[in-house]
Amino acid sequence: MTLAAADDAFAADLAAQLPADTLRATEPRYLEEPRGRWTGTSRHLALPRTAEEVATILRACNAAQVGVIPYGGGTGLVGGQIAPQGMPEPLILSLERMNAIRGVFTEENVLIAEAGVILADVQTAAADVDRLFPLSLASEGSARIGGLLGTNAGGVNVLRYGNTRDLVLGLEAVLPDGQIWHGLKRLRKDNTGYDLRHLLIGAEGTLGVITAAALKLSPIPAGRGTALMVVESPTAALKLLSMARSQMGEGVSAFELMSRMGLDFLAEKVPEVRQPFAERPEWMVLIDVGLARGLDPSEALETLFGEALEAGLVSDGLIAQSEAQADDFWQVRERTPEANRMIGAVSSHDISVPLSAIPDFIAKGYEVIGALGDFRINCFGHMGDGNLHYNIFSAPGRNRADHDNQRDEIKRTLHDLCHEMGGSVSAEHGIGRLKVGDLERYGDPAKLSAMRAIKAALDPSGIMNPGAVLRTV
Amino acid sequence: MTLAAADDAFAADLAAQLPADTLRATEPRYLEEPRGRWTGTSRHLALPRTAEEVATILRACNAAQVGVIPYGGGTGLVGGQIAPQGMPEPLILSLERMNAIRGVFTEENVLIAEAGVILADVQTAAADVDRLFPLSLASEGSARIGGLLGTNAGGVNVLRYGNTRDLVLGLEAVLPDGQIWHGLKRLRKDNTGYDLRHLLIGAEGTLGVITAAALKLSPIPAGRGTALMVVESPTAALKLLSMARSQMGEGVSAFELMSRMGLDFLAEKVPEVRQPFAERPEWMVLIDVGLARGLDPSEALETLFGEALEAGLVSDGLIAQSEAQADDFWQVRERTPEANRMIGAVSSHDISVPLSAIPDFIAKGYEVIGALGDFRINCFGHMGDGNLHYNIFSAPGRNRADHDNQRDEIKRTLHDLCHEMGGSVSAEHGIGRLKVGDLERYGDPAKLSAMRAIKAALDPSGIMNPGAVLRTV
């Protein structure tokens, strides 16, 4: 299948079918991505305001065999939002003007947001009616709902509330042929046919364009508590997690692992972040709990610490005495990626393994990467979900460019290890364009063949985000 | 597409490719369903023990263009498990011999069960390691995991723990062409391509055969409490639910609505069930809570009752003082379907509407059904999920057969109302063969067209559960 370019003639034709100012010249910010690995080439950008306009655009693209890149907040880390070089220039379809919150149904714990709404605005709208929209991640100030759904974003509260897909009741979406699926149901139970919702969520815009979603809200837990605890090892951290969950059940909202390397990087590059312990520990965990009425979170965390101390799992700990202190603790976790970027990783990995395999994975990871040379490793992340960010840096005094020729081998080595242990080489970031080869290497052949059949069935011209997730054929 | 019959020659050929005794003559129990609406005609039954044997069977069926009916516990209520009359005789594929629990990963809260394991056995295996598998429904003593997944079963704990699909981390399945998808990952985060898991779950065996699943377990809440409360109206019940959730958050596990009609039916047909109140109330709710360590469920329910009494939402209430009493309360709810069957419904409905629309739906339902004649209505069910079982009976002294000619009109009237209110005409039972026409009438056209494209892509010969969910073309 050969696609045509979104050239000036195509854009002029399409513009004539849409309200004035819907088609525009692309600005540079649509052609860049956070890590600077790709630069796009599209000249034309569509900014629809309604699902009907999206449908008009997809019909025109289908008729002219022009590729379309759905664009949310541009925060993706795997290049899914960037028109690849070397293919016919696609049209960029940004949902940013579809940014209405269409309704809030407080008693139902439901909020309907259009694809262009920024995550932080959904969180605020939920808080305004005394509810919680639990999806939370570093880019929440700029990531948009459509992109978060397209990539099934993860973040820090998955342990308790699930991934993005678990927070969605219904969708409105435009299918590749321009049909609009009016699926914005606010139902907790609806067994009428195949679950198209979950097929579009996580498909990274390759099967259609999500234009709005009915999102689940949650009650805000009555009391919040935050603690940092120094653990002897990842194994001890795992046991601490288990102890915490047996004491507090669903009350454990986040359980993040951090290593001394991350604290060292912060001290060097982001010194304004307060170091929590006088001596930087080898391993520590950040625990966030949200408990029901009648329970005291500080007390619950003290009980946990006491029992963990007795069991030899922890050696030191801090329980936040105020919201400000809790925020300080979270700064340590949330500004780690910034410090990492300033150091400059040779290679970054977003992997998951079965929970019980984490300690073994970390140990073997040090081994196999150590065998390739002298590297520093900052391994941290959402331990409660089995999801680690495993970033590899050059030794002090050297820099990432010194290892350009090793990057592929490093990636391969770590991903092979992860795959052997039953893990995933893309836990929460998706495939995008970065990991198409990884999916081919590690993906189950039957699943891949089903994916290709579904793609061909729903998007026979291959116009939707061409080259993302699946290689164009 | 015309299918061929699973005749003796086909069965003999297939038997030769499988271990002895895998192909058998069908027994009558595979040709009946709980409500006696359909009778199947298949003569041949396959009882594979492994995914590889299932693959052999599907390859043979594909080669010979023979239809296959995947069969679990046979408890489905919409005829999905029954070979339809008037089509070429299909092969029945029962998963009952794939009944191993392949592994329990206590620290990960994961259990891997084959498709033939009975739900109650999964519950027991979870309890044995001090965990909860929260899926719970009336047929749990005979329903099997494969069928529960195929239909995305609901039940009484959806409010807290979600539908069956929300309890699944990974699947092993055989695709229609005989490829085995090895997707039994034990990962909480895995964004590597389209979510084939959610596509197969709820597809009612029309897109492949699920052979095993990695299931999520939960911590067992530290304390359980159960109460019955008399509410003034469905509106009051809705407010009580909201109050309960703001007091106890996720602690509310079940919230079931029952009406006087149901209590009258129980008194008449199942008198051994203890009536909880001296005078049968118009409306009451059954509340089950599971609270964390440090909270007293009885106390929490008393607080709730006190505040609800003050707010004028409830007029009477009982809080279970023992497990035995809690079981007594649940008997009232769980034996209601039995009483219904003994009375004999003219028409039964498994519908859902947005939570806030429930009172309005109930009121309008009485109106539109009342306009069709003199009927008794037993409306009860999973109010917390917006899911009601809305069953319509003849007036005393008449019987269901008197209304045979009205059944279609009754169904249509109630389903039209439900659809207008943004509801679903199959909340938890699925489409099967009973509701194929409903799906065509009420389903979104874009979704239906996507479903047909997906079916054609994954099962081009149309061998998988032909006639279920989608009409054969």
Side-chain angles (χ1 to χ4, degrees):
Chain A
M1 221 138 2
T2 316
L3 292 172
D7 58 19
D8 293 345
F10 169 80
D13 272 4
L14 178 55
Q17 301 172 50
L18 292 164
D21 210 32
T22 304
L23 261 278
R24 301 193 192 168
T26 308
E27 292 164 41
R29 65 191 173 97
Y30 296 99
L31 306 174
E32 299 157 0
E33 47 85 45
R35 290 185 178 160
R37 290 187 187 153
W38 285 273
T39 311
T41 51
S42 306
R43 276 167 301 162
H44 297 287
L45 166 72
L47 295 166
R49 288 181 205 260
T50 65
E52 288 71 24
E53 291 174 17
V54 174
T56 301
I57 293 163
L58 293 198
R59 278 194 300 268
C61 288
N62 248 307
Q65 308 265 295
V66 162
V68 187
I69 313 270
Y71 196 92
T75 61
L77 295 173
V78 288
Q81 73 276 41
I82 296 297
Q85 309 263 3
M87 62 167 279
E89 206 181 295
L91 178 71
I92 297 176
L93 174 67
S94 170
L95 281 297
E96 71 201 74
R97 295 207 298 183
M98 290 193 68
N99 62 355
I101 290 178
R102 291 196 196 158
V104 181
F105 303 85
T106 311
E107 293 307 291
E108 296 179 16
N109 284 334
V110 176
L111 180 152
I112 296 185
E114 290 185 340
V117 182
I118 287 172
L119 173 52
D121 294 335
V122 175
Q123 293 168 342
T124 303
D128 285 348
V129 295
D130 199 28
R131 294 291 186 276
L132 176 72
F133 184 62
L135 182 62
S136 175
L137 35 74
S139 60
E140 61 197 25
S142 45
R144 295 175 193 271
I145 290 298
L148 293 160
L149 291 167
T151 58
N152 183 34
V156 296
N157 288 331
V158 173
L159 177 62
R160 178 172 193 159
Y161 297 101
N163 293 285
T164 298
R165 69 169 69 256
D166 301 308
L167 306 173
V168 178
L169 294 175
L171 291 182
E172 175 190 270
V174 184
L175 300 182
D177 64 2
Q179 286 190 87
I180 300 174
W181 172 38
H182 298 283
L184 277 181
K185 299 226 164 172
R186 311 196 310 270
L187 305 173
R188 305 281 163 171
K189 285 182 173 174
D190 180 19
N191 277 345
T192 51
Y194 305 160
D195 200 318
L196 200 51
R197 167 185 55 152
H198 281 303
L199 189 60
L200 294 181
I201 296 172
E204 305 185 34
T206 63
L207 298 177
V209 179
I210 294 169
T211 52
L215 302 171
K216 279 190 217 171
L217 306 180
S218 291
I220 299 177
R224 180 195 173 194
T226 307
L228 285 170
M229 297 190 193
V230 174
V231 292
E232 297 304 303
S233 62
T235 302
L238 201 64
K239 287 184 182 156
L240 180 63
L241 170 63
S242 188
M243 187 181 275
R245 300 190 78 183
S246 80
Q247 288 184 14
M248 290 177 265
E250 295 101 328
V252 185
S253 308
F255 195 93
E256 300 284 314
L257 181 71
M258 286 171 284
S259 73
R260 201 183 64 183
M261 193 62 77
L263 296 172
D264 289 348
F265 285 0
L266 277 171
E268 181 183 341
K269 297 292 183 185
V270 199
E272 67 268 32
V273 170
R274 193 178 311 198
Q275 291 282 337
F277 298 101
E279 193 182 335
R280 292 174 210 149
E282 280 304 311
W283 295 102
M284 67 178 197
V285 294
L286 172 61
I287 309 175
D288 221 78
V289 302
L291 301 184
R293 211 163 83 160
L295 292 174
D296 180 330
S298 292
E299 217 174 278
L301 286 166
E302 270 160 36
T303 304
L304 174 65
F305 181 75
E307 288 190 24
L309 194 66
E310 214 162 285
L313 303 178
V314 299
S315 58
D316 201 353
L318 292 166
I319 295 171
Q321 300 303 314
S322 65
E323 275 295 309
Q325 206 176 10
D327 290 348
D328 271 2
F329 291 0
W330 271 99
Q331 284 283 303
V332 180
R333 167 64 184 85
E334 291 196 329
R335 299 192 70 178
T336 293
E338 187 183 333
N340 285 343
R341 264 193 303 277
M342 292 168 85
I343 300 278
V346 174
S347 184
S348 307
H349 306 266
D350 162 43
I351 64 91
S352 65
V353 291
L355 211 52
S356 60
I358 284 188
D360 204 21
F361 175 81
I362 292 177
K364 286 192 179 149
Y366 285 148
E367 220 170 273
V368 296
I369 298 302
L372 298 178
D374 189 12
F375 294 102
R376 289 177 295 177
I377 291 170
N378 186 9
C379 166
F380 65 103
H382 318 300
M383 184 166 193
D385 312 316
N387 174 199
L388 298 174
H389 298 304
Y390 197 99
N391 296 3
I392 298 165
F393 302 82
S394 64
R398 308 194 67 181
N399 64 58
R400 65 191 302 269
D402 297 338
H403 300 285
D404 279 350
N405 63 339
Q406 284 184 283
R407 189 163 297 119
D408 289 349
E409 190 186 5
I410 290 171
K411 273 194 190 307
R412 172 68 61 93
T413 303
L414 198 76
H415 286 176
D416 281 358
L417 174 65
C418 173
H419 182 68
E420 278 160 25
M421 298 180 81
S424 165
V425 298
S426 188
E428 59 174 7
H429 296 167
I431 299 297
R433 294 184 166 82
L434 180 65
K435 295 188 178 174
V436 170
D438 289 309
L439 180 58
E440 289 169 347
R441 179 175 171 85
Y442 302 110
D444 177 87
K447 176 176 168 178
L448 276 167
S449 123
M451 284 175 60
R452 291 190 186 106
I454 291 165
K455 170 74 174 174
L458 296 183
D459 181 21
S461 304
I463 61 164
M464 293 308 309
N465 211 358
V469 185
L470 293 171
R471 201 176 294 277
T472 47
V473 281
Chain B
M1 220 133 6
T2 317
L3 292 173
D7 58 18
D8 292 346
F10 169 79
D13 271 5
L14 179 54
Q17 301 173 52
L18 293 163
D21 211 30
T22 304
L23 261 278
R24 303 196 192 165
T26 308
E27 292 162 42
R29 64 191 175 96
Y30 296 98
L31 306 174
E32 300 158 358
E33 46 87 43
R35 291 185 178 157
R37 291 187 186 150
W38 285 272
T39 310
T41 51
S42 306
R43 276 168 300 162
H44 297 287
L45 166 71
L47 295 166
R49 288 181 205 259
T50 66
E52 288 70 24
E53 289 173 17
V54 175
T56 300
I57 293 164
L58 294 197
R59 277 193 301 266
C61 289
N62 247 310
Q65 306 267 296
V66 163
V68 186
I69 312 269
Y71 197 93
T75 61
L77 296 173
V78 289
Q81 72 277 40
I82 296 297
Q85 307 263 1
M87 63 167 279
E89 205 181 294
L91 177 70
I92 296 177
L93 175 66
S94 170
L95 281 298
E96 70 202 73
R97 295 207 297 183
M98 289 192 69
N99 62 356
I101 290 180
R102 291 197 195 158
V104 182
F105 302 86
T106 310
E107 292 307 289
E108 296 180 17
N109 284 332
V110 176
L111 180 153
I112 295 183
E114 291 186 339
V117 181
I118 287 172
L119 173 52
D121 294 335
V122 175
Q123 293 168 342
T124 303
D128 285 348
V129 294
D130 198 28
R131 292 292 185 278
L132 176 72
F133 183 62
L135 183 62
S136 174
L137 33 75
S139 59
E140 61 198 27
S142 46
R144 294 175 194 271
I145 289 299
L148 293 159
L149 291 167
T151 58
N152 183 33
V156 296
N157 287 332
V158 173
L159 177 64
R160 180 173 193 159
Y161 296 101
N163 293 285
T164 299
R165 69 168 69 257
D166 302 308
L167 306 175
V168 179
L169 294 176
L171 291 181
E172 175 190 88
V174 184
L175 300 182
D177 63 1
Q179 285 190 87
I180 301 174
W181 172 37
H182 298 282
L184 278 181
K185 297 223 166 177
R186 311 195 310 269
L187 304 173
R188 306 280 162 170
K189 285 182 171 173
D190 179 19
N191 277 344
T192 51
Y194 305 161
D195 201 319
L196 199 53
R197 167 187 54 151
H198 281 303
L199 189 61
L200 295 181
I201 296 172
E204 304 184 34
T206 64
L207 298 177
V209 179
I210 294 169
T211 51
L215 303 170
K216 278 190 218 175
L217 307 180
S218 291
I220 299 176
R224 180 195 174 193
T226 307
L228 286 170
M229 297 191 194
V230 175
V231 291
E232 296 304 303
S233 63
T235 303
L238 200 62
K239 286 183 183 159
L240 180 63
L241 170 63
S242 190
M243 188 181 274
R245 299 189 79 184
S246 78
Q247 288 183 15
M248 289 176 266
E250 294 102 330
V252 186
S253 308
F255 194 93
E256 300 283 314
L257 181 72
M258 285 171 285
S259 73
R260 202 184 62 183
M261 193 63 76
L263 296 173
D264 290 348
F265 286 180
L266 278 171
E268 182 184 341
K269 296 292 184 187
V270 198
E272 68 267 31
V273 170
R274 191 178 313 198
Q275 290 283 337
F277 298 102
E279 192 181 337
R280 291 175 210 149
E282 281 303 312
W283 294 102
M284 68 179 197
V285 294
L286 173 61
I287 309 174
D288 220 81
V289 302
L291 302 185
R293 206 162 90 160
L295 292 174
D296 180 332
S298 294
E299 216 175 278
L301 287 166
E302 271 160 35
T303 304
L304 174 66
F305 181 74
E307 289 189 23
L309 194 66
E310 214 162 286
L313 303 177
V314 300
S315 59
D316 201 354
L318 292 166
I319 296 170
Q321 300 302 316
S322 64
E323 275 295 309
Q325 208 176 5
D327 289 348
D328 271 2
F329 292 179
W330 271 99
Q331 285 283 304
V332 181
R333 168 63 185 85
E334 291 196 329
R335 299 193 67 180
T336 292
E338 186 182 335
N340 285 344
R341 265 195 302 275
M342 292 168 84
I343 299 280
V346 175
S347 184
S348 307
H349 306 266
D350 162 45
I351 62 91
S352 65
V353 290
L355 210 55
S356 59
I358 283 187
D360 205 22
F361 175 80
I362 292 177
K364 286 191 179 152
Y366 285 149
E367 223 170 87
V368 297
I369 298 303
L372 298 178
D374 189 12
F375 294 102
R376 291 177 294 178
I377 291 169
N378 186 10
C379 166
F380 66 102
H382 318 299
M383 183 166 193
D385 312 317
N387 174 200
L388 298 174
H389 298 303
Y390 197 99
N391 295 5
I392 299 164
F393 302 83
S394 63
R398 309 195 66 184
N399 65 56
R400 63 191 304 268
D402 297 338
H403 300 285
D404 279 350
N405 62 340
Q406 285 184 284
R407 189 163 295 121
D408 288 349
E409 192 187 4
I410 290 171
K411 274 195 187 304
R412 172 68 62 93
T413 303
L414 197 78
H415 284 175
D416 280 358
L417 175 67
C418 173
H419 183 67
E420 278 160 25
M421 298 181 80
S424 166
V425 299
S426 189
E428 60 174 6
H429 295 167
I431 298 298
R433 295 186 165 79
L434 180 66
K435 295 188 178 175
V436 171
D438 288 309
L439 180 59
E440 289 169 348
R441 179 174 170 84
Y442 302 110
D444 177 87
K447 177 177 167 177
L448 277 167
S449 124
M451 283 174 60
R452 291 190 185 107
I454 291 165
K455 171 74 174 173
L458 296 184
D459 181 20
S461 305
I463 60 164
M464 293 308 310
N465 211 356
V469 186
L470 294 170
R471 202 176 293 278
T472 47
V473 283

